[in-house]
Amino acid sequence: EMLHWGWRWPFLLAFFPGVISASGRAFCLKESEVFEAEQHLLEESDSDDSDEEFVVKQTSQTRSKERKSTRKHLKNFVGSNVLEVVIGIGGVISAAVFNYGGCVWGNSFLKKHGASRDYLMLAGICSRLLQMLLAFPMGWLTDTYGCAFMNFAGAMVQTFAGFPMFMALRADPTSLPNLFVTYTFCFALIASFNATICMYCAELFPTSVRNLGVGVSFNVGVGFFGGFAPLMAEASLAWSPYGPGILFSLAGATTCITMLLSVVWQRAGKVRLAH
């Protein structure tokens, strides 16, 4: 029954917390004073531009203003936030590759190599429950040390643990204790470091271009590197039985290098990091 229709229930039940979240954002949360001040300045700037380029028809004037405002906004964003976008993309590579290459593709890999479906489901559920429990201490650590520190720490853990973890997982995929140590505990620990990855990307950009900056950097990083992670993990098995483990470690190292470069760029005055 679960295969026929039961899988729809989690998606249907997700509607209710979604409504609560959207309602809270619409009616309870207000924009920050900094954001409203910047938007006011942008509106004044756009009104000045429209006065200089006055046309007879009001509809044509409005459309021209909107097109010009959008082009100007994108041009300013590309010209002044290239390094921030690079940092944002590099900062999510570790989490994207691990989530889609490790957690998603890893499940198919274990099934293909003889792991029991019941064992996998049990290990996966326990892993999610453990991630929920770890969200509280990870949130406290983020408030204490910052989201950049936690993202870097998670990438470091993945760099050093990705390869040996996959070796252990591949050694005996049919063993329930092995699944609980690797697929449940280790996977949950690494994934829990990525709980604030969206905040890390958001704090790279000023409020005036924050949505655009996060939309470009986060979605490109997750969509490209996370989307191709299962393909790369499967292809890596052709040249090494431990190729996916190397891939996980390389992804973590890439994020670490990117974040270290961001500190160098900040000291050189090229970027301004909020964290």
Side-chain angles (χ1 to χ4, degrees):
E1 294 182 354
M2 187 66 183
L3 293 176
H4 289 290
W5 57 268
W7 58 270
R8 296 180 176 87
W9 279 108
F11 296 95
L12 295 174
L13 294 175
F15 172 79
F16 298 101
V19 170
I20 295 174
S21 177
S23 301
R25 177 64 183 88
F27 302 107
C28 300
L29 298 179
K30 297 181 179 180
E31 300 290 355
S32 66
E33 295 179 0
V34 176
F35 178 81
E36 291 182 347
E38 289 187 357
Q39 292 301 308
H40 181 67
L41 291 175
L42 287 174
E43 290 175 0
E44 290 182 349
S45 175
D46 289 340
S47 63
D48 293 339
D49 292 340
S50 63
D51 291 338
E52 296 175 0
E53 298 180 358
F54 178 81
V55 289
V56 177
K57 293 184 179 180
Q58 187 65 31
T59 55
S60 299
Q61 180 187 20
T62 303
R63 292 174 182 175
S64 176
K65 174 184 171 182
E66 291 176 351
R67 288 195 297 268
K68 181 177 179 181
S69 178
T70 302
R71 289 196 300 268
K72 182 180 178 181
H73 191 61
L74 290 174
K75 183 178 179 180
N76 292 338
F77 173 77
V78 174
S80 59
N81 296 278
V82 174
L83 291 180
E84 286 84 353
V85 171
V86 172
I87 295 171
I89 293 174
V92 304
I93 288 177
S94 175
V97 171
F98 185 78
N99 287 335
Y100 291 94
C103 299
V104 177
W105 175 84
N107 188 282
S108 300
F109 172 83
L110 291 171
K111 288 180 181 179
K112 186 177 179 180
H113 287 77
S116 169
R117 292 179 180 269
D118 294 335
Y119 285 177
L120 274 178
M121 181 173 291
L122 179 61
I125 292 174
C126 292
S127 179
R128 292 299 181 182
L129 291 175
L130 182 57
Q131 290 181 49
M132 293 170 63
L133 293 177
L134 289 174
F136 296 98
M138 289 301 176
W140 176 79
L141 289 172
T142 300
D143 289 337
T144 305
Y145 297 103
C147 57
F149 176 84
M150 296 302 295
N151 193 37
F152 183 80
M156 285 289 290
V157 171
Q158 183 173 326
T159 300
F160 291 103
F163 180 69
M165 182 181 63
F166 185 79
M167 287 184 63
L169 191 65
R170 183 182 176 84
D172 191 5
T174 61
S175 170
L176 182 60
N178 186 35
L179 285 177
F180 266 87
V181 172
T182 54
Y183 192 68
T184 298
F185 179 77
C186 292
F187 275 47
L189 179 63
I190 295 176
S192 63
F193 279 97
N194 304 323
T196 56
I197 191 67
C198 295
M199 184 187 299
Y200 171 78
C201 290
E203 292 187 353
L204 290 171
F205 303 94
T207 55
S208 58
V209 294
R210 183 161 292 170
N211 286 335
L212 180 59
V214 174
V216 173
S217 59
F218 182 83
N219 287 319
V220 170
V222 173
F224 185 81
F225 292 96
F228 283 99
L231 178 64
M232 292 187 292
E234 188 70 30
S236 66
L237 292 172
W239 57 269
S240 173
Y242 305 108
I246 298 174
L247 176 65
F248 302 154
S249 293
L250 286 177
T254 302
T255 294
C256 289
I257 294 172
T258 302
M259 298 185 70
L260 292 176
L261 284 175
S262 69
V263 176
V264 174
W265 290 335
Q266 182 187 32
R267 292 178 178 177
K270 296 181 179 180
V271 296
R272 182 179 179 181
L273 304 177
H275 35 58

